[in-house]
């Protein structure tokens, strides 16, 4: 007797009926860049279709996402002025906190307004933490390194500032050791016991962040390999996930998504909290570039890419396609 798996692929209706995974708008989170001082949105050249928003255009984009049933938005602030300490990150009148208040007012309870808790957009050196000088143990040369524990103090302040601005979930993306425990303690001490934390647990030092640098006007000097994870390491990703859960993360993240689907599947298998993944700027840009050249079917590539992330274990996906994909799903 011949086993015929094709019986269950014979028609669109049959394929829908036996599909193991489905995408729903409520599983999608839209990253958004809000730039200080804009009166109109500004296109991001390396991410066709994505913009740096003004406060007004952000409100319109949030209203559209909410109407389509998108699950949430993740806000990134792009300030006019930066300094070595990232002071704008804790300023109640800084762009991210101002945008958060406006976003919460616009969204109501239709979607979850989330905020990126990291210093890189706000520091003039572009690193995710505070720098300090040290003497190299071998060469004896003076060099600048990211000071983990000094950075945690800034994260504590930033977390409280974001919670007080109304953020409904804080995305801890800096990859400093102990960041989840420290921000949790700061929030609880300040009375924000109900504000959840998203730990960017397995965040790799990836080439696929390139277009994001333009989006946030990054002034990065050097690289982030001393604190983001080595792409060669799989087990290390799970160790980071377990640490974040132990420190009190309510959700954990794998980033980037598509080139780390193995880590995502591992995380999903062991996690006691929801696992999300971020389809990052470079992944978006590659699809757009290939589609613009006629090399791939754009819509099918978008749908397949997000579905593959879900199939690997992500219960929600941060993707710049969130609103567009939600519109297709509604149709």
């Amino acid at each position: 007797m011949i086993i015929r798996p094709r019986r269950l692929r014979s028609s669109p209706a049959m394929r829908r009926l036996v599909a193991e995974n489905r995408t729903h708008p409520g599983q999608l989170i839209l990253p958004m860049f809000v730039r200080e001082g804009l009166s109109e949105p500004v296109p991001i050249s390396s991410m066709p279709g994505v913009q740096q928003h003004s406060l007004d255009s952000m409100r319109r984009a949030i209203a559209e996402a909410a109407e389509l049933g998108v699950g949430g938005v993740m806000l990134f602030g792009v300030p006019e002025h930066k300094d070595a300490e990232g002071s704008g990150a804790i300023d109640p009148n800084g762009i991210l906190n101002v945008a958060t208040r406006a976003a919460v007012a616009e969204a109501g309870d239709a979607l979850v307004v989330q905020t990126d808790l990291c210093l890189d957009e706000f520091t003039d050196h572009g690193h995710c933490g505070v720098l300090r000088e040290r003497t190299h143990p071998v060469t004896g040369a003076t060099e600048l390194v990211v000071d983990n524990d000094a950075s945690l103090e800034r994260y504590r302040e930033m977390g409280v500032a974001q919670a007080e601005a109304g953020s409904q979930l804080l995305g801890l993306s800096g990859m400093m050791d102990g960041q989840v425990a420290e921000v949790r303690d700061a929030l609880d001490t300040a009375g924000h016991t109900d504000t959840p934390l998203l730990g960017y647990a397995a965040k790799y030092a990836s080439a696929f962040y390139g277009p994001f640098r333009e989006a946030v006007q990054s002034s990065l000097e050097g690289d982030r390999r001393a604190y983001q994870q080595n792409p060669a390491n799989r087990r290390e990703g799970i160790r980071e996930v377990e640490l974040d859960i132990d420190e009190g993360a309510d959700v954990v993240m794998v980033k980037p998504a598509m080139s780390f689907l193995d880590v995502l599947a591992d995380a999903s298998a062991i996690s006691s909290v929801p696992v999300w993944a971020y389809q990052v700027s470079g992944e978006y840009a590659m699809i757009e570039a290939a589609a613009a050249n006629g090399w791939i079917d754009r819509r099918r590539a978008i749908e397949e890419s997000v579905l593959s992330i879900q199939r690997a274990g992500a219960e929600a996906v941060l993707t710049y396609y969130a609103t567009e994909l939600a519109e297709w799903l509604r149709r």
Side-chain angles (χ1 to χ4, degrees), residues 21 26-29 114 169 197-204 237-238 240-242 244-245 249-257 260-279 306 308-318:
N21 293 279
Q27 299 169 298
L28 304 174
I29 299 161
Q114 308 163 35
L169 183 147
L197 298 180
L198 163 62
Y200 282 51
K203 181 179 178 180
Y204 287 83
I238 298 310
E240 291 277 12
V241 167
E242 291 173 335
D244 277 13
I245 293 171
D250 300 284
V251 185
V252 290
M253 174 86 85
V254 175
K255 178 183 179 181
F260 294 94
L261 294 177
D262 55 339
V263 178
L264 176 56
D266 291 345
S268 178
I270 62 95
S271 179
S272 57
V273 302
V275 177
W276 295 357
Y278 196 147
Q279 185 181 43
V306 173
S308 73
I309 297 166
Q310 294 179 284
R311 190 184 65 243
E315 293 151 272
V317 180
L318 279 78

Side-chain angles (χ1 to χ4, degrees), residues 71-130:
V73 294
M74 175 66 77
L75 302 182
F76 296 85
V78 185
E80 285 188 302
H81 304 289
K82 305 178 183 183
D83 59 33
E85 303 292 319
S87 301
I90 62 174
D91 183 354
N93 295 315
I95 182 58
L96 183 54
N97 294 320
V98 169
T100 300
R101 291 192 291 270
V104 170
E106 181 65 45
D109 60 0
L111 52 74
V112 178
V113 175
Q114 308 163 35
T115 47
D116 178 60
L117 198 160
C118 190
L119 289 174
D120 61 324
E121 298 105 290
F122 298 93
T123 55
D124 55 13
H125 48 73
H127 277 285
C128 299
V130 179

Side-chain angles (χ1 to χ4, degrees), residues 30 63 74 106 121 128 143 155 157 180 188 218 229 252-253 263 285 292 316 320:
L30 177 66
M74 175 66 77
E106 181 65 45
E121 298 105 290
C128 299
E143 61 181 359
Y155 288 5
E157 296 175 284
V180 172
D188 291 351
S218 174
Q229 288 179 252
V252 290
M253 174 86 85
V263 178
Y320 300 98

